[in-house]
Amino acid sequence: MTLTKDTVAICMATYNGEKFVKIQMESILKQSFKDWVLFIRDDHSTDATGGIIREFSEKYSDRMVVIEDEKLEGGSSKKNFAAILGWVTEHYDFNYFMFADQDDYWLANKVSVCMERMKAAEQRKKGPVLVHTDLKVVNQDLKLLGNSFFEYRALNPHVTDISHLLVQNNITGCTMFWNKELNQLLNLQNDAVAMHDWWITLAASCFGRIECIEEPTILYRQHTGNVVGATKVNTVSFIIKRLTGSAHVKETLKLSVVQAAAFLKCYKSMLTREQVNIIGRFSRLMNHNKLIRVFTIFKGKYLKQGIIQIIGEIMFI
């Protein structure tokens, strides 16, 4: 394997993905940008996923590596992705990184448009950079459900301030493309990490820059086995679910607060005084009564995107 300064490490986590993983690997092989290596770790699948991966890796041994280190932790999507990225970072020296889900379909220009934006950003200013893109939302047969994930989820991808991102991540992990400077700052092994992509977003917001490409580069497949899916926002069913699903909303808010406390502990010496204050106030949110929690949310602008999301947040905080 010969690495160049532009070789991209693509990290794919798999688990019981026999229905879609072959199609996903084929879409990565069709990328117009060819300077990449695909690292795959299967988290003890009980179906044919392992065999499919080994067959591909033998055929494309020059650009695919199957990680079979039994010491690595798994058991969930976030732990598997964290294990893969940690292993790749320890054993290789890449300048650029991406995540790949087992069930999506990459459009042929995905890596190339991300690299182009990354190079432009790095040329303007050195330092940590996170690039992400829009997605097309599709069903399990790749039939279109929505041309834009941002619109489907009513997200403004240009919201990059830490106050908003502490309570809601607006960047999808399978579209992320980040550089070595950001990767060197990451610590995804912490149990308080709510989701690997959310933690990376927080790090990019605090220490670098976030660049959004408002162009879909992925067919984001929705099916019954999604770990994290895409529910269409502002539909009747979404509104009912959001305003009656107190347990889900409370659990998500709790995870975000716990993650904030862990993030502050991990990076406190690197954060500005203002960032320490913003993250610290949010991490102590649950120490107060309901009235003070609501006051803190509005004063600190710890607000989700969309009126229904905000109402749900205030109702169940």
Side-chain angles (χ1 to χ4, degrees), residues 162-163 264 271-281 302:
I162 190 64
S163 297
L264 180 59
L271 295 165
T272 66
R273 180 178 297 179
E274 181 183 11
Q275 289 170 338
V276 168
N277 290 335
I278 291 171
I279 300 169
R281 281 194 296 269
Y302 306 118

Side-chain angles (χ1 to χ4, degrees), residues 8-14 24 28 36-42 63 65 67 77 80-89 92 94 96-102 106 110 173-176 178 183 186 188 196 200:
V8 180
I10 303 173
C11 303
M12 180 189 287
T14 64
Q24 167 66 316
I28 294 174
W36 52 263
V37 179
L38 176 60
F39 295 90
I40 305 178
R41 178 177 182 265
D42 184 62
R63 54 191 353 181
V65 176
I67 301 172
S77 174
N80 200 9
F81 275 116
I84 297 168
L85 183 60
W87 189 91
V88 171
T89 302
Y92 294 89
F94 286 92
Y96 301 105
F97 303 84
M98 305 178 84
F99 287 135
D101 290 340
Q102 66 182 6
W106 285 19
K110 174 172 167 49
C174 57
T175 74
M176 285 181 163
W178 66 99
N183 196 66
L186 300 180
L188 301 180
H196 53 284
I200 295 173

Side-chain angles (χ1 to χ4, degrees), residues 13-24 47 49 77 100-105 136-145 149 152 174 218-232 241:
T14 64
Y15 176 72
N16 287 353
E18 63 179 4
K19 288 179 67 176
F20 307 120
V21 69
K22 180 179 179 181
I23 296 172
Q24 167 66 316
D47 64 2
T49 301
S77 174
D101 290 340
Q102 66 182 6
D103 48 6
D104 297 328
Y105 186 93
K136 288 178 183 270
V137 184
V138 298
N139 68 10
Q140 65 176 10
D141 300 315
L142 299 183
K143 291 184 179 179
L144 190 67
L145 299 176
F149 177 80
Y152 199 82
C174 57
I218 287 183
L219 302 184
Y220 189 42
R221 196 193 300 260
Q222 301 301 295
H223 56 90
T224 55
N226 283 115
V227 175
V228 178
T231 305
K232 190 172 185 180
K241 183 177 180 181

Side-chain angles (χ1 to χ4, degrees), residues 97-156:
F97 303 84
M98 305 178 84
F99 287 135
D101 290 340
Q102 66 182 6
D103 48 6
D104 297 328
Y105 186 93
W106 285 19
L107 302 182
N109 66 342
K110 174 172 167 49
V111 183
S112 63
V113 298
C114 289
M115 179 64 81
E116 184 178 350
R117 176 62 68 89
M118 174 64 74
K119 289 294 187 180
E122 290 180 325
Q123 198 167 41
R124 289 194 304 272
K125 184 181 178 181
K126 298 295 183 184
V129 180
L130 172 63
V131 173
H132 70 111
T133 79
D134 202 351
L135 316 86
K136 288 178 183 270
V137 184
V138 298
N139 68 10
Q140 65 176 10
D141 300 315
L142 299 183
K143 291 184 179 179
L144 190 67
L145 299 176
N147 273 307
S148 167
F149 177 80
F150 297 151
E151 293 178 5
Y152 199 82
R153 292 288 298 161
L155 290 172
N156 178 358

Side-chain angles (χ1 to χ4, degrees), residues 1 37 50 86 100 145 151 184-185 215 225 264 267 310:
M1 183 190 305
V37 179
L145 299 176
E151 293 178 5
Q184 289 173 329
L185 300 174
E215 172 188 344
L264 180 59
Y267 296 110
I310 292 173

Side-chain angles (χ1 to χ4, degrees), residues 265-289:
K265 183 178 181 180
C266 182
Y267 296 110
K268 189 171 184 178
S269 64
M270 299 172 57
L271 295 165
T272 66
R273 180 178 297 179
E274 181 183 11
Q275 289 170 338
V276 168
N277 290 335
I278 291 171
I279 300 169
R281 281 194 296 269
F282 185 74
S283 70
R284 296 187 295 271
L285 191 65
M286 297 304 181
N287 297 343
H288 307 295
N289 61 41

